[in-house]
Amino acid sequence: MDLTINSDRLSGRLAELSEIGRVGETGVCRLALSEEYKDGMQLVRKWMDEAGLETRFDNFGNLIGRLEGKNQGQPAVMLGSHIDSQPSGGRFDGTIGVLGALEAVQTMRENGIQPEVPVEVVSFCDEEGHRFGVGLFGSRGILGSLEPGELERADEDGVTRREALTDFGADPGKLQESEYDTRKISSYIEMHIEQGPNLQEQDEPIGIVSGIAGPRWLTVTLTGTSGHAGTVPMPMRKDALTGAAEIITAFNSIVQTEAGAPTVGTVGDLKVYPGGRSIIPEKVEFTIDLRDSDLARRDEYEQQLREAVKDISEKHGLRHDISDDGGTTPKEASREIMDIMSEESRTMNLTPPVLMSGAFHDASHMADACGMGMIFVRSKDGISHHPDEYSNDEDIAIGTELLYKTMLRLVERTS
Ligand code: HGY
Ligand code: MN
Ligand code: MN
């Protein structure tokens, strides 16, 4: 395919960024605001500077590169994603969106095209939410959508987000200075790996996203009575882990109530206290990740889960607590941006399939501020959040070419 973007430069940068925080041959651990994250952001900033963007870090730990348009003061077209990763993540999740966005803007400049309106490339801080337990921090931050107490959330070493932001060089006392007047953003587009099997099954390099499922995050804590595993008779036990096991099995059934629905439920982390082969578990803490494209169905399933926690806890004589870790509601992509992506795809002799995103993205929150569009790039075997995550250079280049063409259509219009 004839490409306008420089695919060698793009794949070279992706390979170089993948070395920062590399784990094993192909994995990445670049947790938000970690040293690896800082190194990665500095490298991306260097490339943004080389591309002629005006760069800055904001107080949420976001990196923003800006190119002025012919018409000062016009709302900007924003392109972005993230370079923070899961602890045993892959090297494509988020990074292709940041580097693809930079490649699109750099190509526009190198072709002597000055946009009518400003363009911003953003590498959002802590999309994944692993280190402090809640994600989409940087994109929620610029929109003024943080929950109370988020800066006090601590990682497993007890370092708070506030301390980590300060170490990063941000000023968590001045977050408001980094918030956007959303009238200053006209649209947001993001390229991301699909992280699912659909494009591979349809043998398509890219897809156009119609919407993003909304995750609901909870933490369930069950407390019973510890005791000697050899001496406490079964009828007398208040075993927190037995209760947790029953609740998790119930949750797994609840989310599969409606055959064919895209609802998914995951318990990804579970801690047992005090822990030990010969000790009856006193306390268990586990995470809930419940996602759906239909908010009413998700709310119904959440209610059923809450009832199951209550009933099963009573059955086992356990105290229970369910803490709210937030999430997002399901979001729709802009029809107008989807149509532009389809039109531009046809100039590339492509007809990308339209599909939902089960994964959330920074686009989930940007959709609250402006028209949002996403381009998916094929994931090998649908693997993600794993070192075996893989997308090939050619598919990434095709996705970036469409991102470039879509951006050109959006930046030529003044509002
Ligand atoms: O979990 C997610 O959906 C995202 O990839 N962090
Ligand atoms: Mn991601
Ligand atoms: Mn991810």
Side-chain angles (χ1 to χ4, degrees):
M1 177 185 290
D2 284 343
L3 295 172
T4 323
I5 59 106
N6 182 334
S7 55
D8 289 342
R9 174 169 62 194
L10 176 59
S11 47
R13 285 175 172 171
L14 198 54
E16 191 173 343
L17 179 57
S18 304
E19 287 304 308
I20 298 179
R22 181 160 60 86
V23 174
E25 282 305 304
T26 59
V28 161
C29 179
R30 217 172 19 233
L31 299 187
L33 299 171
S34 64
E35 283 309 307
E36 297 82 9
Y37 175 82
K38 193 182 288 187
D39 294 347
M41 288 289 251
Q42 293 295 2
L43 180 60
V44 174
R45 181 177 198 175
K46 180 176 79 84
W47 290 330
M48 284 182 173
D49 289 336
E50 288 168 5
L53 302 187
E54 188 191 315
T55 58
R56 65 187 173 93
F57 284 107
D58 72 6
N59 289 320
F60 296 106
N62 298 317
L63 169 61
I64 299 153
R66 181 177 170 93
L67 183 69
E68 285 305 336
K70 288 176 195 158
N71 302 279
Q72 295 283 341
Q74 281 281 323
V77 171
M78 187 182 276
L79 303 86
S81 197
H82 64 95
I83 71 161
D84 66 287
S85 80
Q86 289 284 335
S88 60
R91 59 198 190 281
F92 300 95
D93 179 352
T95 53
I96 72 162
V98 173
L99 297 180
L102 175 55
E103 180 55 39
V105 175
Q106 187 162 0
T107 299
M108 175 171 68
R109 278 205 86 225
E110 288 169 347
N111 284 292
I113 302 168
Q114 194 194 5
E116 293 298 319
V117 298
V119 187
E120 291 196 349
V121 175
V122 184
S123 181
F124 283 110
C125 184
D126 201 3
E127 185 274 348
E128 296 287 2
H130 177 79
R131 183 174 175 191
F132 299 103
V134 177
L136 301 172
F137 177 75
S139 45
R140 289 186 297 121
I142 65 167
L143 301 178
S145 313
L146 296 186
E147 303 291 334
E150 287 211 48
L151 293 179
E152 308 333 307
R153 292 185 76 98
D155 67 11
E156 55 195 22
D157 299 323
V159 177
T160 64
R161 196 195 285 276
R162 181 187 301 277
E163 290 162 342
L165 279 168
T166 306
D167 288 349
F168 183 72
D171 182 346
K174 295 180 178 169
L175 294 184
Q176 281 198 322
E177 291 176 16
S178 298
E179 288 180 13
Y180 272 65
D181 171 349
T182 52
R183 290 167 300 180
K184 294 284 186 210
I185 311 171
S186 64
S187 45
Y188 174 82
I189 50 179
E190 178 170 355
M191 176 172 74
H192 201 285
I193 54 173
E194 180 201 343
Q195 300 177 298
N198 300 292
L199 292 177
Q200 176 169 289
E201 277 170 13
Q202 300 177 50
D203 193 21
E204 292 282 350
I206 61 171
I208 294 172
V209 174
S210 55
I212 305 173
R216 182 83 177 88
W217 296 312
L218 305 168
T219 298
V220 178
T221 304
L222 305 175
T223 309
T225 308
S226 183
H228 191 299
T231 57
V232 179
M234 295 310 283
M236 290 176 65
R237 293 189 178 198
K238 293 179 180 177
D239 181 336
L241 189 51
T242 303
E246 278 189 39
I247 290 167
I248 293 166
T249 304
F251 178 47
N252 190 271
S253 304
I254 289 168
V255 297
Q256 298 181 71
T257 305
E258 196 176 322
T263 323
V264 287
T266 312
V267 174
D269 194 10
L270 180 142
K271 292 184 177 66
V272 182
Y273 304 93
R277 183 190 305 274
S278 304
I279 310 170
I280 301 168
E282 177 172 3
K283 187 172 98 170
V284 170
E285 238 174 48
F286 59 90
T287 57
I288 294 287
D289 180 315
L290 166 61
R291 305 190 190 198
D292 205 327
S293 54
D294 178 318
L295 187 57
R297 183 171 54 212
R298 192 189 80 181
D299 288 346
E300 168 56 28
Y301 289 172
E302 178 183 342
Q303 199 42 48
Q304 290 180 24
L305 168 65
R306 288 177 180 275
E307 282 158 24
V309 171
K310 180 172 168 295
D311 296 345
I312 294 168
S313 296
E314 278 167 15
K315 175 184 163 190
H316 290 272
L318 305 174
R319 293 194 315 281
H320 70 275
D321 175 67
I322 302 178
S323 68
D324 183 338
D325 297 327
T328 72
T329 54
K331 299 293 165 61
E332 296 213 335
S334 150
R335 191 75 246 170
E336 184 193 17
I337 294 178
M338 289 177 68
D339 291 345
I340 289 173
M341 290 177 172
S342 298
E343 288 160 23
E344 293 304 320
S345 302
R346 280 198 287 280
T347 69
M348 300 164 64
N349 296 320
L350 287 172
T351 315
V354 172
L355 65 170
M356 266 295 292
S357 174
F360 61 77
H361 304 284
D362 291 303
S364 300
H365 278 282
M366 295 311 295
D368 295 337
C370 60
M372 171 276 282
M374 283 195 78
I375 296 165
F376 266 175
V377 171
R378 175 167 38 190
S379 288
K380 185 174 179 312
D381 303 331
I383 296 170
S384 184
H385 285 189
H386 187 282
D388 292 347
E389 178 182 282
Y390 180 76
S391 292
N392 68 48
D393 286 346
E394 189 189 351
D395 291 353
I396 295 169
I398 291 169
T400 305
E401 184 75 13
L402 180 58
L403 186 71
Y404 170 69
K405 290 174 174 291
T406 305
M407 174 194 69
L408 288 186
R409 291 280 299 274
L410 294 173
V411 301
E412 67 191 15
R413 314 176 311 177
T414 56
S415 52

